[in-house]
Amino acid sequence: MTLTGHTDTSPFSGGERGYSNWELSADRANASRRELLAAGMDERKILRVMGLAAVVPFDKSAPGAPINRRISIVVMNSMAERRVLSGTELQASDIEEFEKALSRVPGLGGIVPPSPTVVPAPQSAAPAAPAAPVDPGSPKR
């Protein structure tokens, strides 16, 4: 699995000098990693923990909205895991094509949270719904 932290576009207002949304998003992802490990998850199942700041908003029409403050947890199948470990992940054009396909899924309301690593489900499986944001109303740290 991969864990990714995200922020909205508002600059981080507290903390140490030089602590930006990049550090906040990375800390957000790492906090989720620590919680999963504390709950008993096998450490070897987590392949990547990263922060993306406000680069990939959940709601592209409102990049400063609190819903953009979140973590993304992507559970990968074995094929996706091999691609991450070998460095042969999908290209941006593959991700854009996948996002377009997801935007046509009824009930998503046009908001599709992109992921840095997107691996479509096998043809025989139904498409998975995107993960809901975790506690979008929580204030920034």
Side-chain angles (χ1 to χ4, degrees), residues 77 79 119-127:
N77 61 22
M79 181 179 76
V119 177
Q123 297 267 340
S124 61

PDB file of all heavy atoms in Angstrom, residues 77 79 119-127:
ATOM      1  N   ASN A  77      -2.739  -4.251  -5.749  1.00  0.00           N
ATOM      2  CA  ASN A  77      -2.676  -5.686  -6.005  1.00  0.00           C
ATOM      3  C   ASN A  77      -1.215  -6.047  -6.270  1.00  0.00           C
ATOM      4  O   ASN A  77      -0.347  -5.168  -6.310  1.00  0.00           O
ATOM      5  CB  ASN A  77      -3.610  -6.091  -7.158  1.00  0.00           C
ATOM      6  CG  ASN A  77      -3.257  -5.429  -8.474  1.00  0.00           C
ATOM      7  OD1 ASN A  77      -2.132  -4.976  -8.695  1.00  0.00           O
ATOM      8  ND2 ASN A  77      -4.227  -5.357  -9.362  1.00  0.00           N
ATOM      9  N   MET A  79       0.335  -6.951  -8.935  1.00  0.00           N
ATOM     10  CA  MET A  79       0.890  -6.367 -10.157  1.00  0.00           C
ATOM     11  C   MET A  79       1.324  -4.920  -9.901  1.00  0.00           C
ATOM     12  O   MET A  79       2.417  -4.507 -10.290  1.00  0.00           O
ATOM     13  CB  MET A  79      -0.134  -6.396 -11.292  1.00  0.00           C
ATOM     14  CG  MET A  79       0.401  -5.814 -12.596  1.00  0.00           C
ATOM     15  SD  MET A  79      -0.796  -5.862 -13.938  1.00  0.00           S
ATOM     16  CE  MET A  79      -1.864  -4.518 -13.481  1.00  0.00           C
ATOM     17  N   VAL A 119      -3.433   2.011 -10.839  1.00  0.00           N
ATOM     18  CA  VAL A 119      -3.415   0.776 -11.611  1.00  0.00           C
ATOM     19  C   VAL A 119      -4.856   0.335 -11.774  1.00  0.00           C
ATOM     20  O   VAL A 119      -5.528   0.018 -10.795  1.00  0.00           O
ATOM     21  CB  VAL A 119      -2.590  -0.319 -10.907  1.00  0.00           C
ATOM     22  CG1 VAL A 119      -2.654  -1.612 -11.691  1.00  0.00           C
ATOM     23  CG2 VAL A 119      -1.156   0.143 -10.738  1.00  0.00           C
ATOM     24  N   PRO A 120      -5.380   0.359 -13.013  1.00  0.00           N
ATOM     25  CA  PRO A 120      -6.767  -0.037 -13.220  1.00  0.00           C
ATOM     26  C   PRO A 120      -6.988  -1.497 -12.822  1.00  0.00           C
ATOM     27  O   PRO A 120      -6.081  -2.321 -12.911  1.00  0.00           O
ATOM     28  CB  PRO A 120      -6.967   0.129 -14.725  1.00  0.00           C
ATOM     29  CG  PRO A 120      -5.849   1.019 -15.177  1.00  0.00           C
ATOM     30  CD  PRO A 120      -4.721   0.775 -14.234  1.00  0.00           C
ATOM     31  N   ALA A 121      -8.223  -1.786 -12.391  1.00  0.00           N
ATOM     32  CA  ALA A 121      -8.588  -3.144 -12.030  1.00  0.00           C
ATOM     33  C   ALA A 121      -8.600  -4.010 -13.284  1.00  0.00           C
ATOM     34  O   ALA A 121      -8.781  -3.496 -14.382  1.00  0.00           O
ATOM     35  CB  ALA A 121      -9.968  -3.148 -11.372  1.00  0.00           C
ATOM     36  N   PRO A 122      -8.391  -5.309 -13.132  1.00  0.00           N
ATOM     37  CA  PRO A 122      -8.475  -6.194 -14.292  1.00  0.00           C
ATOM     38  C   PRO A 122      -9.835  -6.042 -14.970  1.00  0.00           C
ATOM     39  O   PRO A 122     -10.819  -5.709 -14.325  1.00  0.00           O
ATOM     40  CB  PRO A 122      -8.302  -7.594 -13.694  1.00  0.00           C
ATOM     41  CG  PRO A 122      -7.635  -7.376 -12.384  1.00  0.00           C
ATOM     42  CD  PRO A 122      -8.068  -6.019 -11.914  1.00  0.00           C
ATOM     43  N   GLN A 123      -9.910  -6.326 -16.259  1.00  0.00           N
ATOM     44  CA  GLN A 123     -11.124  -6.151 -17.050  1.00  0.00           C
ATOM     45  C   GLN A 123     -12.321  -6.872 -16.435  1.00  0.00           C
ATOM     46  O   GLN A 123     -13.431  -6.401 -16.519  1.00  0.00           O
ATOM     47  CB  GLN A 123     -10.895  -6.664 -18.468  1.00  0.00           C
ATOM     48  CG  GLN A 123      -9.826  -5.906 -19.205  1.00  0.00           C
ATOM     49  CD  GLN A 123     -10.406  -4.773 -20.013  1.00  0.00           C
ATOM     50  OE1 GLN A 123     -11.576  -4.769 -20.307  1.00  0.00           O
ATOM     51  NE2 GLN A 123      -9.577  -3.828 -20.383  1.00  0.00           N
ATOM     52  N   SER A 124     -12.102  -8.014 -15.797  1.00  0.00           N
ATOM     53  CA  SER A 124     -13.204  -8.804 -15.265  1.00  0.00           C
ATOM     54  C   SER A 124     -13.746  -8.257 -13.952  1.00  0.00           C
ATOM     55  O   SER A 124     -14.822  -8.622 -13.536  1.00  0.00           O
ATOM     56  CB  SER A 124     -12.759 -10.246 -15.060  1.00  0.00           C
ATOM     57  OG  SER A 124     -11.699 -10.282 -14.122  1.00  0.00           O
ATOM     58  N   ALA A 125     -13.002  -7.371 -13.301  1.00  0.00           N
ATOM     59  CA  ALA A 125     -13.435  -6.843 -12.009  1.00  0.00           C
ATOM     60  C   ALA A 125     -14.149  -5.512 -12.198  1.00  0.00           C
ATOM     61  O   ALA A 125     -13.865  -4.766 -13.110  1.00  0.00           O
ATOM     62  CB  ALA A 125     -12.233  -6.654 -11.087  1.00  0.00           C
ATOM     63  N   ALA A 126     -15.082  -5.225 -11.296  1.00  0.00           N
ATOM     64  CA  ALA A 126     -15.772  -3.933 -11.327  1.00  0.00           C
ATOM     65  C   ALA A 126     -14.808  -2.846 -10.872  1.00  0.00           C
ATOM     66  O   ALA A 126     -13.946  -3.090 -10.029  1.00  0.00           O
ATOM     67  CB  ALA A 126     -16.980  -3.985 -10.402  1.00  0.00           C
ATOM     68  N   PRO A 127     -14.937  -1.623 -11.413  1.00  0.00           N
ATOM     69  CA  PRO A 127     -14.034  -0.553 -10.978  1.00  0.00           C
ATOM     70  C   PRO A 127     -14.260  -0.224  -9.505  1.00  0.00           C
ATOM     71  O   PRO A 127     -15.388  -0.221  -9.039  1.00  0.00           O
ATOM     72  CB  PRO A 127     -14.396   0.635 -11.867  1.00  0.00           C
ATOM     73  CG  PRO A 127     -15.688   0.289 -12.508  1.00  0.00           C
ATOM     74  CD  PRO A 127     -15.884  -1.196 -12.407  1.00  0.00           C
TER      75      PRO A 127
END
